[in-house]
């Protein structure tokens, strides 16, 4: 019995779909042209352009779009939390100073800046570097014909 050489692994990108797959994985670079919305708009446009070409490109486009939407949501949540922490520190500093305790006011104000440098700044760095690394991994996988599924992704588009 002869092995079936014409069968490819599930979700593998055929040769003709590798370049569009690479384009889909690189589409978040639109964020460089349109900050904030380009990282989502680029994958959305790439997915809409290539989704009817093959089921593999449709799945890869959805994976990129869902990951970028997830990263955008994670950034929004961390920004809101940082704003709340920063505001609470400023309010605590103002209340402490108004109550006549310079030490308490200074401590709350110092805590505000500590939360920025110890919490918000590292989260911003991670939310900037990790998606770029995952994008490069996706490009490498697409160029070799393998499907890539991004980790930490919420499935918004099914």
């Amino acid at each position: 019995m002869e092995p079936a050489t014409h069968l490819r692994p599930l979700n593998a990108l055929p040769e003709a779909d590798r370049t569009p797959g690479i384009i889909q994985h690189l589409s978040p670079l639109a964020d460089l042209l349109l900050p904030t919305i380009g990282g989502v708009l680029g994958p959305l446009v790439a997915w809409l352009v290539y989704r009817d070409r093959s089921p593999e490109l449709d799945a890869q486009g959805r994976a990129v779009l869902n990951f970028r939407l997830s990263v955008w949501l994670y950034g929004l949540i961390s920004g809101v939390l940082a704003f709340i922490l920063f505001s609470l520190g400023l309010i605590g500093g103002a209340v402490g100073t108004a109550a006549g305790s310079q030490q308490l006011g200074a401590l709350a104000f110092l805590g505000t800046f500590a939360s920025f440098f110890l919490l918000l700044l590292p989260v911003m760095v991670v939310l900037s570097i990790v998606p770029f690394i995952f994008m490069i991994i996706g490009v490498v996988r697409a160029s070799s014909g393998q499907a890539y599924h991004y980790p930490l992704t919420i499935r918004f588009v099914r």
Side-chain angles (χ1 to χ4, degrees), residues 5 12-13 19 25 39 45 57-59 66 79 84 111 125 135 142 145 147-148 157:
T5 57
L13 291 172
T19 300
H25 287 286
V45 169
L57 285 176
D58 180 41
N66 283 328
I84 290 170
V125 168
M135 180 186 70
Y148 181 64
V157 180

Side-chain angles (χ1 to χ4, degrees), residues 13-26 50 53 57 142-143:
L13 291 172
E15 189 72 36
D17 290 343
R18 289 184 186 178
T19 300
I22 291 169
I23 291 170
Q24 285 181 326
H25 287 286
L26 286 175
Y50 293 118
R53 194 170 192 180
L57 285 176
S143 68

Side-chain angles (χ1 to χ4, degrees), residues 52-132:
D52 294 331
R53 194 170 192 180
S54 74
E56 291 85 5
L57 285 176
D58 180 41
Q60 287 301 285
R62 276 187 281 116
V64 175
L65 180 60
N66 283 328
F67 178 68
R68 292 307 300 186
L69 286 170
S70 299
V71 167
W72 185 83
L73 180 64
Y74 300 149
L76 180 68
I77 290 170
S78 66
V80 167
L81 287 175
F83 177 76
I84 290 170
L85 286 174
F86 196 76
S87 297
L88 287 176
L90 289 178
I91 291 169
V95 168
T97 303
S101 173
Q102 293 294 331
Q103 290 83 12
L104 182 60
L107 184 62
F109 195 67
L110 182 64
T112 299
F113 285 101
S115 69
F116 175 77
F117 286 109
L118 297 176
L119 179 69
L120 179 62
L121 202 57
V123 168
M124 288 174 16
V125 168
V126 167
L127 285 175
S128 299
I129 293 174
V130 170
F132 183 75

